[in-house]
Amino acid sequence: MKKFKSTKDIKVGVVGYGGAFNMGQQHLQQMKKAGMTPFAVCEIDPERLKVAEDDFPGIETYGSLDAMLKQSDVNLLVHITPHNLHYPLAAKCVKAGKHVVTEKPFVVTTSEADRLINLANKHNVMVSTYHNRHWDGWIMRAVREIVEKKTIGDVYKVEAHFGGYGMPRDWWRTSKSVSGGVLYDWGCHLLEYTLQVVDSDIVEVSGYAKNGYWESQAPKNFPWIGDMNEDEATAVVRFANGCVANLCITQLDPVRRPPLTFYGTKGTYIINHFGWQDDPQQWILKKANRKHQIKETSGKHPKSRGDLFYKNIAEYMTGQADLVITPEWARRPIHILDLAGKSAQAGKAMKAKHA
């Protein structure tokens, strides 16, 4: 890949400037902070294009991706679109010679991931996905304690859990055909955390799903009837080193559970976090001594450094660093999620392929 002389030479843009979470502005601001130059916005809603122009005076605006690719000199495009559009839109940009970052999840299926990686190699461009949570304070400390210091010995099991109890919202993330399923949103984060700690090949994945309850409770005019996500889904991952990871995302469980628990031969590391104001926002370490006595310590999570994602992208594109979130790395959670869905349908475990 041809490198840029300086970060300011990297002209960046976003595909999607919708109002949800104001993510278009967030991405462009983070890229600007990393030294890159906000240059273009593509958005089908004319009102949101006006917002983009107000946020970034002088920025190029386009109502279609085809127009942007034909007319703009933008170098790097970030895709902030529904999950099922990540692959087709990213592939179109790669074929046009543009570097690409997709919002997580990378894509929806293993096949899409492999095709996008092959396209990027063919056209000699960078492809990555927005795993800014790779640098979250809780996982950064966990990696130091578990991987580097081996505080809890050898990790043999990981429990990952997220969700609650309630009717899904009326938005595209509730559609299985658009989102990929209930596992894809937070499950992608939790798997990426897990893979930072468990350094081993994926052998096989088993998937389990509970369907139909919330669909039976939905109003007749609910737009996603017939295409709703699972009420709850689970992925069980077996690694070559013997470790097992259990991921569960649910809308049927009223019990608040730790999002991540790492079990080792010498203790347990619990990450209580994140997303709820009354969460304890802390790590807990339970370690046994030779007399089988349990000592518990805890503390607050270190500061998260999600800004390091685009700093790394800028440094990679200017030849100053290796890429952290490679497309091959981004593929690993997608392969697990894809296999879990296929396993749930088939009722049997699915073998992993070069994962």
Side-chain angles (χ1 to χ4, degrees):
M1 189 190 94
K2 185 178 179 180
K3 303 295 182 178
F4 291 81
K5 291 183 178 180
S6 69
T7 56
K8 68 179 181 180
D9 294 331
I10 307 170
K11 301 172 184 177
V12 297
V14 296
V15 179
Y17 208 83
F21 312 120
N22 211 14
M23 292 176 69
Q25 182 195 69
Q26 173 184 311
H27 280 272
L28 284 174
Q29 290 288 10
Q30 289 182 2
M31 288 187 281
K32 182 178 180 180
K33 182 181 177 181
M36 297 181 277
T37 302
F39 194 77
V41 172
C42 176
E43 169 59 52
I44 60 175
D45 183 351
E47 293 301 315
R48 292 302 301 172
L49 285 180
K50 293 178 184 177
V51 173
E53 290 172 339
D54 291 338
D55 291 341
F56 298 92
I59 201 164
E60 294 181 355
T61 56
Y62 298 90
S64 75
L65 182 58
D66 287 342
M68 173 185 271
L69 295 178
K70 184 178 180 179
Q71 301 172 33
S72 180
D73 292 328
V74 66
N75 307 121
L76 168 62
L77 287 170
V78 181
H79 291 259
I80 312 168
T81 62
H83 302 167
N84 66 328
L85 297 179
H86 287 188
Y87 172 75
L89 298 184
K92 182 177 286 191
C93 292
V94 167
K95 290 176 183 177
K98 308 298 183 183
H99 304 284
V100 165
V101 170
T102 66
E103 251 292 347
K104 63 84 202 165
F106 181 37
V107 286
V108 176
T109 68
T110 307
S111 173
E112 289 179 345
D114 290 341
R115 281 181 282 157
L116 191 58
I117 291 169
N118 289 336
L119 276 175
N121 291 334
K122 177 180 178 181
H123 292 275
N124 202 26
V125 297
M126 180 205 71
V127 167
S128 183
T129 199
Y130 188 61
H131 274 304
N132 62 321
R133 288 187 175 274
H134 182 91
W135 290 271
D136 278 346
W138 44 84
I139 195 62
M140 291 170 67
R141 185 184 190 281
V143 168
R144 286 196 300 271
E145 291 294 328
I146 299 171
V147 178
E148 297 172 14
K149 298 180 181 180
K150 294 187 74 71
T151 305
I152 62 170
D154 296 325
V155 175
Y156 66 88
K157 183 173 65 173
V158 182
E159 296 282 353
H161 192 280
F162 198 82
Y165 188 92
M167 177 76 187
R169 289 173 57 182
D170 179 4
W171 61 344
W172 63 260
R173 284 178 173 83
T174 297
S175 163
K176 184 170 176 60
S177 65
V178 176
S179 72
V182 74
L183 287 176
Y184 272 76
D185 201 11
W186 264 100
C188 196
H189 285 311
L190 293 169
L191 287 173
E192 203 272 340
Y193 294 145
T194 300
L195 292 168
Q196 288 190 55
V197 171
V198 182
D199 183 18
S200 182
D201 290 340
I202 302 161
V203 174
E204 67 177 20
V205 178
S206 295
Y208 308 88
K210 167 69 179 76
N211 296 286
Y213 176 73
W214 287 119
E215 188 165 87
S216 72
Q217 303 300 306
K220 291 183 179 180
N221 62 347
F222 195 67
W224 311 113
I225 289 179
D227 185 36
M228 286 180 68
N229 284 341
E230 306 90 343
D231 301 319
E232 177 178 296
T234 300
V236 181
V237 187
R238 184 164 66 86
F239 293 92
N241 66 357
C243 185
V244 174
N246 297 299
L247 166 69
C248 179
I249 306 295
T250 182
Q251 293 191 279
L252 282 177
D253 188 354
V255 178
R256 185 74 57 81
R257 304 175 192 277
L260 277 170
T261 304
F262 297 96
Y263 296 87
T265 52
K266 296 180 180 179
T268 301
Y269 190 98
I270 303 169
I271 296 178
N272 276 327
H273 128 85
F274 38 76
W276 305 98
Q277 291 182 351
D278 58 341
D279 273 352
Q281 300 281 326
Q282 66 179 7
W283 55 267
I284 301 171
L285 174 61
K286 296 184 178 183
K287 192 172 181 181
N289 60 23
R290 292 186 178 181
K291 296 181 180 179
H292 305 292
Q293 296 169 322
I294 307 299
K295 181 181 179 181
E296 180 175 314
T297 55
S298 63
K300 291 186 177 181
H301 296 309
K303 181 181 178 181
S304 294
R305 292 297 310 275
D307 60 299
L308 293 178
F309 174 81
Y310 279 122
K311 182 176 185 294
N312 176 250
I313 293 287
E315 289 177 346
Y316 172 72
M317 294 183 72
T318 52
Q320 302 175 66
D322 293 332
L323 186 63
V324 174
I325 308 300
T326 64
E328 291 79 14
W329 177 259
R331 176 191 185 275
R332 299 193 79 206
I334 300 307
H335 192 40
I336 293 171
L337 296 172
D338 186 19
L339 291 178
K342 291 177 179 177
S343 170
Q345 286 188 330
K348 62 181 182 180
M350 294 290 172
K351 297 292 184 182
K353 295 181 180 180
H354 55 275

